[in-house]
């Protein structure tokens, strides 16, 4: 589940935004100041921070740099009632990923949230695919099918995999399993059962995301 933080000194607006986003199935935490937000980020990762520009103490623009340094993968959407091209440019130059002008409609808020989470997911997948080991693991169709099967089934023995893949050449399956093990995508326990590693689960999620994106594009 994606985690989102709302940072705004207006308690009513903070609560309202939190309720809207929670209804969409996201995990939400709130902070009244940038300093409180930084303390939360030290304890836990957040996929997205909705950050007010004007707050007591550390303002939003100054907080962008601090948040980016503390949690580089966290996307930042600047919120401000003082909408202007200058403010938008300033926020983006400091490292914000997007900009939302107050007052905003619920659909505009949710569209911005979804878009930024999707872009973060795509960036994560693109970064993973740039890795030589990941590319080697995903380049072959049969290896991709193995990863997806293990993601769906949880764990499988060798012959169960062979039957599910519909491949007569057992040596070929064994070869691709070896490649996936060496790339760090799968592991085999003492009972000879294959399972996905953390990297394998990440690869499976990326494959599902890319497949869905291609279907949406087409």
């Amino acid at each position: 589940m994606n985690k989102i933080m709302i940072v705004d000194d207006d308690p009513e607006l903070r609560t309202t935004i939190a309720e809207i986003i929670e209804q969409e199935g996201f995990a939400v935490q709130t902070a009244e100041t940038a300093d409180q937000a930084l303390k939360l980020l030290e304890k836990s990762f957040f996929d997205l921070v909705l950050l007010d520009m004007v707050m007591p103490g550390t303002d939003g623009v100054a907080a962008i740099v601090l948040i980016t340094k503390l949690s580089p993968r966290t996307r930042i959407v600047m919120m401000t009632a003082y909408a202007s091209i200058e403010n938008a440019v300033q926020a983006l130059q400091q490292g914000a990923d997007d900009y939302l002008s107050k007052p905003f409609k619920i659909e505009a808020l949710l569209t911005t949230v979804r878009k930024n989470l999707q872009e973060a997911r795509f960036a994560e997948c693109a970064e993973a695919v740039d890795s030589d080991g990941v590319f080697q693991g995903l380049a072959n169709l049969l290896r991709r099918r193995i990863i997806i099967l293990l993601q769906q089934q949880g764990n499988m023995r060798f012959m169960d995999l062979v039957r599910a893949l519909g491949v007569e050449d057992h040596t070929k399956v064994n070869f691709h399993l070896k490649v996936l093990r060496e790339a760090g995508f799968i592991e085999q326990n003492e009972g000879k059962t294959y399972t996905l590693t953390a990297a394998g689960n990440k690869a499976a999620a990326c494959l599902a995301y890319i497949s869905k994106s291609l279907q949406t594009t087409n």
Side-chain angles (χ1 to χ4, degrees):
M1 180 185 294
N2 292 117
K3 293 180 64 177
I4 299 173
M5 189 194 306
I6 301 159
V7 189
D8 198 302
D9 61 321
D10 183 334
E12 184 175 348
L13 180 60
R14 197 168 62 240
T15 301
T16 299
I17 295 174
E19 289 177 352
I20 292 169
I21 294 177
E22 284 176 336
Q23 288 175 1
E24 295 298 307
F26 300 116
V28 178
Q29 282 190 259
T30 64
E32 185 177 355
T33 66
D35 293 331
Q36 289 180 6
L38 291 168
K39 289 180 180 178
L40 288 172
L41 280 164
E42 287 176 353
K43 299 177 181 178
S44 179
F45 173 76
F46 288 84
D47 299 279
L48 177 66
V49 171
L50 296 171
L51 180 66
D52 189 25
M53 177 171 275
V54 181
M55 295 180 291
T58 305
D59 66 20
V61 174
I64 292 172
V65 178
L66 299 173
I67 291 171
T68 302
K69 183 177 180 180
L70 183 62
S71 184
R73 292 182 180 274
T74 296
R75 291 183 72 85
I76 302 171
V77 174
M78 181 64 76
M79 305 184 298
T80 180
Y82 303 92
S84 69
I85 294 176
E86 290 78 11
N87 286 342
V89 171
Q90 184 183 16
L92 294 172
Q93 286 177 338
Q94 291 299 312
D97 298 286
D98 210 341
Y99 194 85
L100 196 57
S101 300
K102 300 177 184 178
F104 43 76
K105 295 181 179 180
I106 292 176
E107 190 53 43
L109 169 66
L110 293 177
T111 297
T112 299
V113 168
R114 294 189 193 106
K115 182 189 73 171
N116 278 276
L117 290 175
Q118 185 180 49
E119 288 175 354
R121 185 68 172 277
F122 184 82
E124 182 180 346
C125 286
E127 181 179 322
V129 172
D130 280 341
S131 165
D132 291 340
V134 173
F135 181 78
Q136 183 185 26
L138 303 183
N140 179 271
L141 175 60
L142 189 57
R143 292 199 286 272
R144 294 198 296 272
R145 290 180 61 199
I146 291 171
I147 288 174
I148 292 170
L149 271 172
L150 290 175
Q151 193 272 334
Q152 293 172 343
Q153 300 297 324
N155 57 73
M156 298 180 75
R157 295 178 66 85
F158 178 76
M159 288 309 300
D160 294 328
L161 271 168
V162 170
R163 283 190 288 269
L165 292 166
V167 178
E168 295 183 2
D169 188 346
H170 296 186
T171 304
K172 181 183 293 186
V173 176
N174 191 56
F175 168 77
H176 290 298
L177 287 170
K178 180 182 178 182
V179 172
L180 289 172
R181 283 200 307 271
E182 291 175 350
F185 287 107
I186 66 173
E187 57 189 6
Q188 190 179 28
N189 60 25
E190 294 179 357
K192 303 299 182 181
T193 298
Y194 290 96
T195 59
L196 290 179
T197 61
N201 279 303
K202 183 177 179 180
C206 285
L207 285 171
Y209 174 76
I210 292 171
S211 176
K212 183 178 179 182
S213 297
L214 290 173
Q215 290 172 4
T216 302
T217 302
N218 294 332

